[in-house]
Structures are given as structure tokens and as C-alpha cells.
Amino acid sequence: QYQYTTTTPSSTQLKSRNSPTLHDETTTKASSRTNNNLFDDLIQRFQGDFDNYNQVISDRAAGLLPGPGGGHEHIHCTLLPLPTTIMEGNEDNNDNDVMSNKKCVLAAYYFDGIPSKIFRFRLYQLQPAEEEDADTSDKVLMKLFTLKPTVEGALRQCVDPTQWSQIIRGIICNEEDKNSNSDLVDVCGVALTGCEVMWCSSPSRELHAYLFHDDEEAIISSSSINDAVHAYMVNSPVEIDSTMIPGTKLNVMDELSLWPDELWINDRGYDLDGNFVYGNQRGVPYAMERVSYIEDDERIVTDNGLAWTLGPKWRTEDEFQEKMEAIGGVTTRYNK
């Protein structure tokens, strides 16, 4: 079995990754459970920028290229928490108490540290799960939405995600002139029915097999596993329309693990004949390290070594070319 060589999460290793400019108050907030409330903990962690460049460096050192080569593409994930005022729309709305238990996060995924290469937008709505015989503080349901074309088009005109909240606020305010009951997901999103994700405190040995060896011994320490929150698709696999290959149907599967400073995404898709289309073909998740937190529409960089992945204003052109050469060039060429 191939041994994944990128540093795996542990309390010591996570702490050592933080740059001297780390926002200590934010990290402390995200590193501890709030009265064992998974919902609060998840909202604190599931935001900011994450990037797997160091994993790609490790892959190339081991001779692994994306696709059939068993390696990973270089992917960056931006998770923008949307302010409660955007969701509520009208401060006098009687549904405010209900909306306080729902939070929305706008996600953008792009290749090779180039924010203009967004290959996927998602809108996530998180809320405590309502399951019979289950403590709602123990599970969180995440509903998935694509963006309406007009909304996605407006966001693509701006490569700075710290401005996206204002763009969405403008869209919602315009809609409220027509419909006083409009809210964020109704105005901006199109539900991906059947793609719901469930977050929980403990991983499944079957679904989160990437955390365990074949003999079920944990690959990383049990304390590190317990420091994470984990997720799985409720109805996996799910058939959806491909956003990258129009007219194509895909069966998708996904599991996630989220630490205060790292996000692992085991997202993969197959065509209807069972052929692999995207994801890691060895079942090794995209191990994305935290680059920043986003608070009040401001980025707070936590890893200066990965800040260049945020876009051109965070790097020189020479630095970008050096980073790309280190991984054999832009990784999107492997998908052609």
C-alpha cells in the first residue's frame, strides 16, 4: 500500500504549520468544541481558504501524476461564510429564530492557484440534523445548491471573494423589491436534490477508509481523528449532471474530514458505465491545508507559505512560475 507522505494531522503538526502571523484568537476558537456542539464547531472551521499544493509536491516526488498516475491535481478551495444579515434579508422577518439555526457558506474551487480558473461553485446550507432517536447536536445536515446562472455570472466577474457578500447582498435586495419573502437559497441557488451531506463527530471505518489501514489500524493517531469532524453523502452514490462536461451524467461519491487547519475531500465521480472520471484513483483524499480564515469579509492569512495560492496580488509572477515548475506545470493539462 502506498504510504501517503504529506504530513498528516496531529495536534503538534497542525500547530507547527501556523505562520508567525497566525490569528491566535481565531485558531483557539476553531480548535475547541463549543459545549460539544458540532454545529457551532463546524461553522467556526468550515470557512476560509484551503489548498493541497504541499500534497501535490509530495505526489510528484513519489512519481505520481494526476488521473491514472495516482496523484492529485492542484486544487484550492475558498469557503466564504455569508453573514446572517444576508440570509435574513429583513431584520423584522418573523423567521429570524429559524434562520439563526441555518448558516450558508459559498464555496469556490479552482485549479493551480489561479482564482479565475474556478471549476465549481457551490452554495452550502448547514443546519442541525433533525433525526429521530438522534441528538441534534451530534449531527449537522448540509444541503447542496448550484448557483443560478445570473448569480454565478456576477461572481465570476469579481476574482476577489471578499467582495462576493456585497454582490449577493445586492442581488437579494433587488429580489426583495419583487418578493418580500425571498431568501438566500431561493434567490441564488438551485437545489442538488439527493446530494445532502451529513457531518458527525466520529468517522465510519467503511466510508472514511482513508483514515485507516487495511487491518483497520488508524493511519493517524486516534486523538487526531477525534480532533476532526467527518462527513458523508447521505444517498451515495448520487447521479447528477456534470458541471464540467455538459450533457454528461455522473455518479458521485464524497467523504470529508475537517480539522481546524486541514480539510480532506475524497470527492470522485464515475460515468454511468462505471469508468473513473475525476478524483483520486487510489482513494487518497485531497489533503488541503488552511491558508486563511475569512472574518467580516476580510482574509486573515494563517500560512504565509501558501498565501501565493490566493491569486496574483499575493505573489510575483516569478514566484508563481517557480511554484508551477516544481509540480511539473499546471495540473489541469493532465485532465485533457
Side-chain angles (χ1 to χ4, degrees):
Q1 182 179 4
Y2 172 76
Q3 296 297 308
Y4 173 48
T5 55
T6 296
T7 308
T8 51
S10 71
S11 57
T12 301
Q13 292 162 344
L14 284 171
K15 185 175 181 180
S16 68
R17 285 197 180 119
N18 297 332
S19 69
T21 58
L22 178 65
H23 192 270
D24 292 329
E25 179 182 353
T26 303
T27 300
T28 301
K29 177 178 66 175
S31 300
S32 60
R33 297 284 165 86
T34 306
N35 297 326
N36 295 319
N37 188 316
L38 178 62
F39 180 70
D40 290 344
D41 190 34
L42 182 57
I43 295 303
Q44 292 165 0
R45 296 184 184 189
F46 196 61
Q47 59 105 328
D49 289 277
F50 296 85
D51 195 278
N52 77 326
Y53 180 78
N54 289 329
Q55 179 185 43
V56 176
I57 286 286
S58 178
D59 280 352
R60 302 302 179 267
L64 300 173
L65 298 178
H72 298 79
E73 301 85 1
H74 176 208
I75 292 177
H76 189 101
C77 170
T78 298
L79 298 171
L80 177 68
L82 296 175
T84 304
T85 52
I86 286 184
M87 292 202 59
E88 293 171 353
N90 186 341
E91 295 289 347
D92 297 325
N93 193 317
N94 292 330
D95 292 333
N96 281 0
D97 290 341
V98 174
M99 298 305 292
S100 65
N101 289 324
K102 295 181 180 180
K103 300 295 182 183
C104 275
V105 175
L106 177 63
Y109 300 84
Y110 59 80
F111 289 116
D112 299 317
I114 306 174
S116 60
K117 280 191 175 181
I118 294 174
F119 64 87
R120 179 186 298 164
F121 272 110
R122 286 289 184 266
L123 181 62
Y124 302 131
Q125 185 184 67
L126 299 97
Q127 63 189 81
E130 297 179 0
E131 294 188 60
E132 294 183 2
D133 303 321
D135 183 351
T136 57
S137 67
D138 194 43
K139 291 186 178 181
V140 174
L141 180 66
M142 185 167 78
K143 297 180 181 180
L144 279 64
F145 302 80
T146 60
L147 296 180
K148 291 182 178 178
T150 53
V151 178
E152 181 168 332
L155 295 178
R156 285 187 179 275
Q157 295 299 312
C158 175
V159 296
D160 182 0
T162 64
Q163 302 298 314
W164 288 348
S165 291
Q166 293 295 331
I167 293 173
I168 291 176
R169 182 177 287 110
I171 293 172
I172 290 180
C173 289
N174 181 61
E175 187 67 22
E176 284 181 343
D177 291 339
K178 306 172 187 176
N179 181 1
S180 61
N181 294 321
S182 60
D183 64 25
L184 178 64
V185 295
D186 290 338
V187 173
C188 298
V190 178
L192 284 169
T193 305
C195 293
E196 294 80 7
V197 168
M198 191 69 75
W199 289 90
C200 50
S201 298
S202 301
S204 161
R205 288 182 176 268
E206 177 183 359
L207 297 177
H208 300 94
Y210 52 79
L211 294 171
F212 305 93
H213 291 294
D214 291 340
D215 60 4
E216 295 192 351
E217 179 184 354
I219 290 176
I220 57 180
S221 68
S222 58
S223 61
S224 181
I225 291 177
N226 291 336
D227 284 340
V229 293
H230 309 274
Y232 58 90
M233 293 188 74
V234 176
N235 301 302
S236 182
V238 178
E239 182 178 314
I240 66 170
D241 293 316
S242 172
T243 57
M244 297 184 67
I245 312 174
T248 301
K249 295 282 187 180
L250 296 177
N251 283 319
V252 299
M253 307 171 70
D254 196 9
E255 299 85 38
L256 307 94
S257 294
L258 174 62
W259 288 264
D261 290 317
E262 195 152 338
L263 172 63
W264 288 12
I265 303 176
N266 194 28
D267 183 19
R268 61 254 189 238
Y270 305 82
D271 65 24
L272 300 189
D273 293 323
N275 299 307
F276 209 98
V277 175
Y278 71 86
N280 183 264
Q281 298 195 22
R282 293 181 298 115
V284 177
Y286 291 82
M288 313 180 82
E289 297 173 66
R290 182 177 294 281
V291 184
S292 80
Y293 282 95
I294 300 178
E295 292 188 349
D296 299 324
D297 292 333
E298 179 183 356
R299 269 179 167 143
I300 302 169
V301 173
T302 60
D303 190 332
N304 287 331
L306 289 172
W308 67 271
T309 65
L310 298 176
K313 78 174 186 178
W314 298 87
R315 65 193 180 224
T316 65
E317 181 60 24
D318 287 344
E319 180 184 14
F320 175 69
Q321 293 301 328
E322 179 183 351
K323 298 295 187 182
M324 289 297 99
E325 289 174 7
I327 59 174
V330 293
T331 59
T332 48
R333 66 190 177 93
Y334 295 109
N335 293 331
K336 295 181 180 179

